[in-house]
Amino acid sequence: MRPGPHRPEPRRPGLRRAGLRRPALPHWTATLTWKAAAFITVMCCALAALLGLLVHVSVTDQTVGEARDLALDRLTEVAAAYEAGDRLPRGAGVDLPGMPEPLRTLASVGQRGTMVGDDDPHPTMWAAGPADGGRALAVRVDYSQGAHAIEALDRAIVWSSALAIGATLLVGSFAVTRVTRRLHATAQVARRISAGDLDARVDDPRTQDPTRHQDEVAAVAGALDTMAASLQSKLLSEQRFTADVAHELRTPLTGLHAAAELLPPGRPTELVRDRVAALRTLTEDLLEISRLDTRSERLDLDSEQLAPLAERVVRMVRASATGTGTGTDAGTGTGPGTGTEVRVVRDARVETDRRRLERVLGNLVVNAHKHGRGPVVLTVDGPVVTVRDHGDGFPGYLVEHGPQRFRTEGGSKGHGLGLTIALGQAEVLGARLVFANAPDGGAVATLTLPQCGPRPTAAPGEVRVPDGSL
């Protein structure tokens, strides 16, 4: 069997050959201000070099041309005096020492020419023509003044270019900084909106005055403010609708529950009572979601030991699952998953709202029993509490984006409102709730609580809320 053709392994992004790695640049080089400053500097240098070269060439040609014309005129006068046999003036003669060799060769073939001498101590313009006997009649003209003028011009070009580049860079950086400052303010407002602060607005002055011309940054700021206002209006409408529906459902559900209690004992009565209880639980969850969305929750802080509180939550969930009531999540049931193991690695005292913390842990435990497989383990390790099952794990969207209300994928049973409430209550507590999947299988929910510190003295009637909770 002949071996198949060798196929090179495709390059994966992020891998570079040894020796070809680009040097890492400081993070500030990625800013628009730095890029604009670099662009302005390069363009100014290129423009200054071009203009300086044009001026240098033009002035040099004019100065050299004047010196050449002067040297040729003197050569004509000296040639006339030489032919007349008169005495030649100073700086003129036949085969003068120091005359450039190319000019001597040109004169020997019967032609006239000029050339600036390189070996003279002072800049000199030479002019030479043919003389008798194959010799060269030459004239030297002082070129110091023209050379000094060109040097002074070059220095003036360099200094004026540097000054113009510096001034342009300062003015350009100031103008770009004003734009980038407005962009930074717009980005900061966008981050506040994405974090849940729907009242944040850019309020660019250019968008407030319709008579002023709006630039691109003002257009982006105005579009962001419009989007935030529209999003806030829609969310508030949805929150009001959810709260109104939940409130309206409570009255008929209360009557339905009372009527179910009057039914004669039997299997149909148990089914009716179970469904009424589940509907009441869902209504209460909707009301709780509504309060979390409107950020109207208030904390009742106290110092609590985590281990006893976790054991109490497990007992409450077990009693709820084996009794006639419903669980903490949307829907419960009896079965092999009702047992939960509590492991205490290191106990800790935390300052928290006991009722809300029990709500969070209860929802996590019930969700583990309902959607996972046993054994379910609740571990207390200092201020960190983990709840793990050994089922199929959380869906990918939940791990990446967090719980979403009533979302169902692939025909599986949705997670209801339990995890959404747990995440919202954890934020109210100032805790961090993370959802992940264990490498060997199973879902892992990790709750990190702020540890108990020195408790400040509260004024009468004052409610102490952890930083960032509301």
Side-chain angles (χ1 to χ4, degrees):
M1 181 182 294
R2 291 181 6 180
H6 173 69
R7 296 181 179 179
E9 182 181 356
R11 285 185 72 182
R12 288 175 292 177
L15 296 181
R16 300 185 178 92
R17 294 181 180 178
L20 298 180
R21 181 178 298 176
R22 293 184 300 175
L25 297 176
H27 69 278
W28 53 267
T29 58
T31 61
L32 183 60
T33 302
W34 185 87
K35 292 179 180 178
F39 176 76
I40 293 173
T41 302
V42 171
M43 293 303 297
C44 287
C45 290
L47 183 61
L50 179 61
L51 293 178
L53 181 62
L54 292 176
V55 173
H56 172 80
V57 171
S58 176
V59 174
T60 301
D61 289 345
Q62 181 180 358
T63 304
V64 173
E66 293 176 354
R68 181 182 294 113
D69 293 341
L70 178 60
L72 291 175
D73 291 342
R74 293 195 59 184
L75 178 62
T76 301
E77 296 175 358
V78 169
Y82 178 75
E83 292 176 357
D86 297 337
R87 183 177 178 180
L88 299 181
R90 184 178 178 181
V94 179
D95 291 338
L96 291 176
M99 183 174 59
E101 194 63 29
L103 197 59
R104 186 188 302 275
T105 303
L106 185 65
S108 64
V109 297
Q111 296 183 2
R112 302 174 64 185
T114 59
M115 186 176 180
V116 178
D118 297 330
D119 299 332
D120 299 325
H122 302 288
T124 303
M125 175 67 73
W126 289 85
D132 55 351
R135 295 181 298 175
L137 180 64
V139 175
R140 290 186 302 182
V141 178
D142 186 13
Y143 185 61
S144 299
Q145 185 176 0
H148 293 332
I150 294 176
E151 292 178 359
L153 176 65
D154 290 342
R155 287 194 298 269
I157 291 175
V158 171
W159 283 106
S160 60
S161 299
L163 183 62
I165 291 173
T168 305
L169 185 60
L170 288 177
V171 175
S173 300
F174 174 74
V176 172
T177 302
R178 293 188 62 186
V179 175
T180 55
R181 189 183 299 116
R182 293 167 60 197
L183 289 175
H184 282 306
T186 304
Q188 185 178 4
V189 171
R191 285 191 291 267
R192 288 172 55 190
I193 293 174
S194 64
D197 184 8
L198 298 181
D199 292 325
R201 297 292 185 272
V202 180
D203 290 334
D204 193 296
R206 291 170 177 79
T207 62
Q208 308 298 324
D209 187 1
T211 60
R212 298 182 61 178
H213 295 288
Q214 294 189 11
D215 55 8
E216 288 78 3
V217 180
V220 172
L224 180 62
D225 288 347
T226 304
M227 180 199 70
S230 177
L231 180 62
Q232 185 180 34
S233 176
K234 291 182 179 179
L235 288 179
L236 291 177
S237 177
E238 292 179 1
Q239 291 170 5
R240 285 194 298 267
F241 175 77
T242 302
D244 293 342
V245 168
H247 278 291
E248 293 297 329
L249 285 176
R250 294 183 74 178
T251 301
L253 282 176
T254 302
L256 189 59
H257 177 72
E261 294 296 331
L262 299 177
L263 294 175
R267 181 59 180 168
T269 299
E270 293 179 0
L271 293 176
V272 170
R273 290 176 179 175
D274 180 71
R275 293 301 87 195
V276 170
L279 191 56
R280 291 186 67 185
T281 300
L282 179 59
T283 303
E284 295 298 330
D285 287 347
L286 289 174
L287 285 173
E288 188 168 357
I289 286 287
S290 176
R291 289 193 296 269
L292 290 173
D293 286 341
T294 57
R295 299 180 180 271
S296 60
E297 297 282 16
R298 293 294 180 268
L299 290 176
D300 183 12
L301 295 179
D302 199 359
S303 180
E304 297 285 345
Q305 287 291 134
L306 271 183
L309 188 145
E311 294 172 352
R312 184 167 60 252
V313 169
V314 171
R315 289 195 301 269
M316 292 168 55
V317 172
R318 184 182 297 114
S320 177
T322 57
T324 58
T326 60
T328 318
D329 205 346
T332 61
T334 61
T338 55
T340 305
E341 178 185 356
V342 179
R343 296 178 183 176
V344 180
V345 178
R346 178 170 56 93
D347 196 5
R349 179 172 291 276
V350 295
E351 188 175 15
T352 186
D353 188 325
R354 180 179 60 82
R355 181 184 65 84
R356 299 183 189 279
L357 181 56
E358 290 177 349
R359 176 70 157 157
V360 174
L361 296 180
N363 280 21
L364 295 178
V365 171
V366 170
N367 186 82
H369 286 307
K370 181 179 178 182
H371 299 282
R373 289 190 297 270
V376 176
V377 181
L378 188 152
T379 304
V380 178
D381 186 3
V384 180
V385 182
T386 59
V387 178
R388 178 186 175 180
D389 61 54
H390 291 76
D392 298 330
F394 290 119
Y397 76 86
L398 193 147
V399 175
E400 185 175 357
H401 302 291
Q404 301 178 19
R405 305 169 188 179
F406 301 114
R407 176 165 177 173
T408 303
E409 282 194 352
S412 61
K413 195 174 183 181
H415 283 261
L417 297 176
L419 294 183
T420 304
I421 292 175
L423 183 62
Q425 293 289 9
E427 293 177 354
V428 174
L429 292 173
R432 183 169 178 260
L433 181 57
V434 178
F435 302 97
N437 292 323
D440 54 347
V444 181
T446 304
L447 179 68
T448 305
L449 294 161
Q451 284 188 284
C452 182
R455 298 181 61 189
T457 303
E462 179 184 357
V463 179
R464 288 174 280 108
V465 181
D467 292 338
S469 61
L470 291 177

